[in-house]
């Protein structure tokens, strides 16, 4: 890691800012990139200046080619220098921006990963997906499309006005005011006009993403209630409104860009008229008229690009706001959990030393939970008894309270009323020490297969890793890979299928060897055959462990000792699979609809 990257990491750790700390840490790289960008713009201006002079001078039919030899050489030199400095500027600026982006991704992961379950219960899936997929990516554009062009434009602005002032101070002042209008004032006007349009469009788009994500999780309920046609009609209407907003935004941007281009044309005319007046007065030779007029084009173009970038600022500010809100939420959760952990340590110090627990009993008695600021409880009157080895399913559509109940078991939340205990101790004091969790999308990293499995037990031997892979049915497949267990997974495990990724996560759980396993929709996104094979493997290798399965699918319910069906935070139905099939018509319809 270079010095700039180390400084960025240290600075980011000291402050919650998402822009200034990184900008300060890489200030010299950005300064160099801005200077190189300014030189590239000035090289472009010099290229057009010498080109205009060469064309004008050549039209006078000089007696000897030597009379235009110097402009010919300068045209070639400035042409090469423009491309060279532009390339080096982009290389320098993108290097700094991508290093910052890597630090931001690491920082976001450090915020989300420890609190993933809690955050999923507080944020809609579509919102969190949008955050990860878009907001962090947006921030690099602040450096590349706003900061660097603005710095380069300021350098060019000052240089051009100073050089023009050497010929005519009054005209230099006029051009300073005119170009300053388009560099400073007009971008602010554009920003003010674009804020409302862009925020409306983005809010509508996020609303659509969230609605579609929630609908996918609750598809069975939409179909069962006969309201699928209504959902499709409402979604189509919202989609049409978003398209209309998008078209209005694009028309406004097109009109704005047209006006900016006209400002460049007007600057060229002003320079041509001034140069002609100077030539008439004997200050310039006529060959300089076209040269001076053409100089305005690349300089004004640089100012226009800076103005074009400004009306995207609302997008970036929304991303920054969401990231800061996420960071604040994470900090609050961490403080609450740290306080609970300190309290648990104090209780443990009062207890006599004992061997690590192998038998775990989970008991929930008349438990209620309500999020801060919510008017309606998320969970009400929940009771459950799960002795060691029990298998319990918690059914319910999205928003029924499944994720909140899982978080309460892990100790990330504390009930408002009633109790949830693990071997007699409040769950929030134990921080899920006896629990393993198999999520919908397990974290897989761009390292070897063996290292990904070994995350369940960092000191596991190669033999233990191999044995875990054999238990979940992956050993033969891994051995067939080019480098066996040393084959790299690639980012997010993209070279493996969904079922194989879940089996790798299951192998980690076997290495952890904890008495309770929480299954959080582990088969979502898998085809029916892969899902059934995965579930069969899980029930086989996890025998003797307590299984609590949170899902909205009914496949595999016949293997569970007890089923709790949640709706709006309450237990609507409970019992064994056979009992519910016989006694509950709604459960029977859902089971048939699920095509089990």
């Amino acid at each position: 890691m270079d010095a700039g990257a180390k400084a960025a990491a240290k600075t980011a750790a000291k402050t919650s800012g998402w822009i200034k700390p990184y900008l300060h840490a890489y200030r010299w790289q950005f300064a160099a990139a801005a200077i190189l960008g300014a030189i590239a713009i000035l090289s472009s201006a010099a290229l057009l200046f010498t080109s205009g002079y060469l064309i004008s001078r050549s039209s006078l039919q000089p007696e000897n080619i030597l009379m235009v030899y110097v402009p010919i050489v300068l045209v070639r030199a400035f042409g090469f220098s423009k491309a060279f400095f532009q390339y080096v500027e982009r290389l320098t600026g993108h290097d700094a921006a991508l290093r910052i982006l890597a630090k931001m991704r690491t920082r976001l992961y450090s915020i989300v990963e420890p609190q993933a379950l809690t955050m999923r219960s507080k944020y809609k899936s579509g919102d969190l997906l949008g955050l990860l997929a878009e907001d962090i990516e947006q921030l690099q554009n602040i450096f590349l499309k706003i900061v660097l062009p603005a710095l380069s434009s300021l350098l060019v602005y000052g240089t051009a006005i100073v050089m023009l002032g050497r010929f005519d101070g009054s005209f230099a002042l006029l051009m300073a005011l005119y170009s300053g209008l388009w560099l400073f004032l007009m971008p602010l006007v554009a920003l003010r006009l674009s804020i409302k349009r862009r925020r409306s469009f983005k809010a509508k788009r996020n609303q659509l993403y969230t609605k579609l994500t929630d609908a996918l999780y609750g598809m069975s309920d939409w179909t069962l209630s006969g309201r699928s046609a209504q959902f499709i009609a409402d979604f189509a209407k919202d989609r049409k409104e978003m398209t209309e907003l998008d078209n209005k935004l694009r028309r406004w941007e097109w009109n704005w860009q047209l006006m900016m281009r006209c400002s460049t044309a007007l600057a060229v005319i002003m320079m041509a008229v001034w140069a002609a007046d100077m030539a008439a007065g004997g200050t310039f030779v006529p060959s300089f008229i076209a040269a001076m007029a053409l100089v305005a084009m690349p300089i004004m173009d640089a100012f226009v690009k800076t103005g074009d970038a400004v009306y995207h600022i609302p997008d970036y500010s929304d991303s920054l706001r969401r990231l800061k809100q996420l960071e604040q939420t994470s900090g609050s959760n961490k403080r609450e959990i740290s306080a609970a952990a300190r309290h648990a340590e104090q209780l443990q110090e009062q207890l006599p030393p004992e061997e690590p627990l192998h038998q775990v009993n989970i008991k929930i008695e008349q438990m209620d939970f309500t999020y801060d600021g919510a008017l309606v409880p998320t969970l009400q009157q929940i009771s459950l008894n799960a002795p060691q080895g029990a298998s319990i399913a918690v059914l319910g559509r999205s928003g029924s309270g499944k994720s909140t109940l899982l978080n309460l078991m892990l100790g990330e939340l504390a009930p408002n009323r009633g109790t949830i205990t693990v071997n007699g101790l409040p769950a929030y004091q134990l921080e899920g020490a006896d629990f393993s969790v198999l999520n919908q999308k397990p974290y897989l990293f761009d390292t070897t297969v063996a290292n990904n499995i070994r995350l369940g037990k960092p000191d596991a031997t190669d033999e233990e890793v191999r044995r875990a892979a054999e238990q979940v049915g992956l050993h033969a497949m891994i051995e067939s890979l080019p480098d066996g267990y040393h084959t790299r997974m690639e980012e997010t495990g993209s070279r493996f299928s969904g079922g194989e990724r879940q089996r790798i996560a299951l192998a980690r759980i076997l290495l952890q060897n904890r008495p309770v396993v929480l299954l959080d929709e582990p088969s979502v996104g898998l085809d029916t055959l892969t899902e059934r094979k995965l579930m069969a493997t899980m029930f086989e290798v996890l025998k003797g462990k307590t299984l609590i399965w949170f899902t909205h699918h009914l496949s595999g319910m016949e293997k569970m000792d007890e089923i709790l069906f949640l709706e709006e935070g309450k237990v609507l139905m409970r019992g064994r699979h056979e009992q519910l099939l016989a006694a509950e018509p709604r459960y029977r319809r859902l089971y048939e609809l699920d095509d089990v």
Side-chain angles (χ1 to χ4, degrees), residues 35-45 81-83 85-87 89:
I35 293 172
L36 290 167
I39 294 175
I41 295 170
L42 294 174
S43 296
S44 179
S81 64
K82 172 194 171 185
F85 285 112
Q86 194 172 55
Y87 173 79
E89 179 265 333

Side-chain angles (χ1 to χ4, degrees), residues 10 17 27 93 109 196 281 317 336 352 368 387 561 576 589:
K10 291 180 180 179
R27 59 188 180 281
Y109 178 81
K196 184 177 180 180
S317 61
E336 292 176 4
D368 293 352
D561 297 332
R576 293 183 62 86
R589 289 196 301 271

Side-chain angles (χ1 to χ4, degrees), residues 52-118:
Y53 177 80
L54 177 61
I55 293 171
S56 300
R57 192 77 176 87
S58 298
S59 67
L60 299 177
Q61 298 180 351
E63 304 83 4
N64 195 314
I65 194 173
L66 293 176
M67 301 295 292
V68 293
Y69 183 75
V70 172
I72 291 174
V73 174
L74 289 176
V75 167
R76 291 171 58 87
F78 288 127
F80 285 121
S81 64
K82 172 194 171 185
F84 171 77
F85 285 112
Q86 194 172 55
Y87 173 79
V88 177
E89 179 265 333
R90 290 185 178 179
L91 187 66
T92 306
H94 280 71
D95 176 73
L98 291 176
R99 290 178 185 273
I100 289 173
L101 185 61
K103 297 299 175 187
M104 286 180 174
R105 285 172 174 163
T106 302
R107 180 176 170 187
L108 180 65
Y109 178 81
S110 68
I111 294 171
V112 172
E113 193 275 336
Q115 305 294 322
L117 296 173
T118 301

Side-chain angles (χ1 to χ4, degrees), residues 368-380 414-416:
D368 293 352
F369 179 81
T370 305
Y371 285 105
D372 292 341
L375 300 178
V376 179
T378 304
L379 292 171
Q380 302 179 62
N416 302 121

Side-chain angles (χ1 to χ4, degrees), residues 225-337:
S225 62
R227 294 187 296 153
S228 56
Q230 176 191 343
F231 167 76
I232 294 173
D234 292 343
F235 188 83
K237 180 181 177 182
D238 291 341
R239 176 69 182 176
K240 183 179 179 181
E241 292 177 1
M242 190 186 77
T243 302
E244 291 175 354
L245 286 174
D246 185 37
N247 291 335
K248 289 180 181 179
L249 181 62
R250 290 179 184 275
R251 284 195 298 270
W252 183 85
E253 291 179 355
W254 187 89
N255 291 331
W256 169 255
Q257 291 181 4
L258 176 63
M259 185 171 61
M260 295 291 282
R261 297 305 182 269
C262 290
S263 71
T264 299
L266 182 57
V268 171
I269 294 172
M270 292 170 65
M271 287 292 291
V273 171
W274 171 75
D277 184 64
M278 295 293 284
T283 305
F284 288 160
V285 295
S287 301
F288 279 106
I289 297 176
M292 296 300 293
L294 291 176
V295 164
M297 293 180 63
I299 294 177
M300 285 300 297
D301 188 58
F303 299 163
V304 166
K305 287 181 179 178
T306 302
D308 286 346
V310 166
Y311 55 66
H312 291 284
I313 286 180
D315 295 337
Y316 310 142
S317 61
D318 288 344
S319 298
L320 284 170
R321 175 181 53 79
R322 281 192 293 269
L323 287 168
K324 289 179 180 179
Q325 182 181 2
L326 181 65
E327 194 169 39
Q328 290 170 358
T329 302
S330 174
S332 176
N333 290 335
K334 288 179 180 178
R335 287 192 295 271
E336 292 176 4
I337 293 174

Side-chain angles (χ1 to χ4, degrees), residues 38-191:
I39 294 175
I41 295 170
L42 294 174
S43 296
S44 179
L47 172 62
L48 289 183
F49 178 88
T50 53
S51 298
Y53 177 80
L54 177 61
I55 293 171
S56 300
R57 192 77 176 87
S58 298
S59 67
L60 299 177
Q61 298 180 351
E63 304 83 4
N64 195 314
I65 194 173
L66 293 176
M67 301 295 292
V68 293
Y69 183 75
V70 172
I72 291 174
V73 174
L74 289 176
V75 167
R76 291 171 58 87
F78 288 127
F80 285 121
S81 64
K82 172 194 171 185
F84 171 77
F85 285 112
Q86 194 172 55
Y87 173 79
V88 177
E89 179 265 333
R90 290 185 178 179
L91 187 66
T92 306
H94 280 71
D95 176 73
L98 291 176
R99 290 178 185 273
I100 289 173
L101 185 61
K103 297 299 175 187
M104 286 180 174
R105 285 172 174 163
T106 302
R107 180 176 170 187
L108 180 65
Y109 178 81
S110 68
I111 294 171
V112 172
E113 193 275 336
Q115 305 294 322
L117 296 173
T118 301
M119 288 180 178
R120 201 185 70 179
S121 67
K122 294 184 178 181
Y123 292 88
K124 295 286 187 181
S125 300
D127 291 341
L128 198 55
L129 176 64
L131 173 70
L132 296 173
E134 183 177 347
D135 288 343
I136 282 293
E137 300 295 333
Q138 283 271 32
L139 296 190
Q140 68 174 320
N141 292 329
I142 294 179
F143 302 104
L144 296 177
K145 294 185 178 180
I146 294 181
V147 174
L148 284 179
L151 291 176
S152 297
S153 295
L154 286 173
L155 291 174
V156 171
Y157 176 78
T159 303
I161 298 304
V162 169
M163 294 180 66
L164 192 60
R166 298 186 63 181
F167 297 101
D168 187 341
S170 299
F171 185 71
L173 179 60
L174 174 64
M175 290 305 295
L177 294 174
Y178 179 77
S179 56
L181 172 71
W182 294 100
L183 180 59
F184 302 111
L185 181 60
M186 292 306 292
L188 295 178
V189 174
L191 174 62

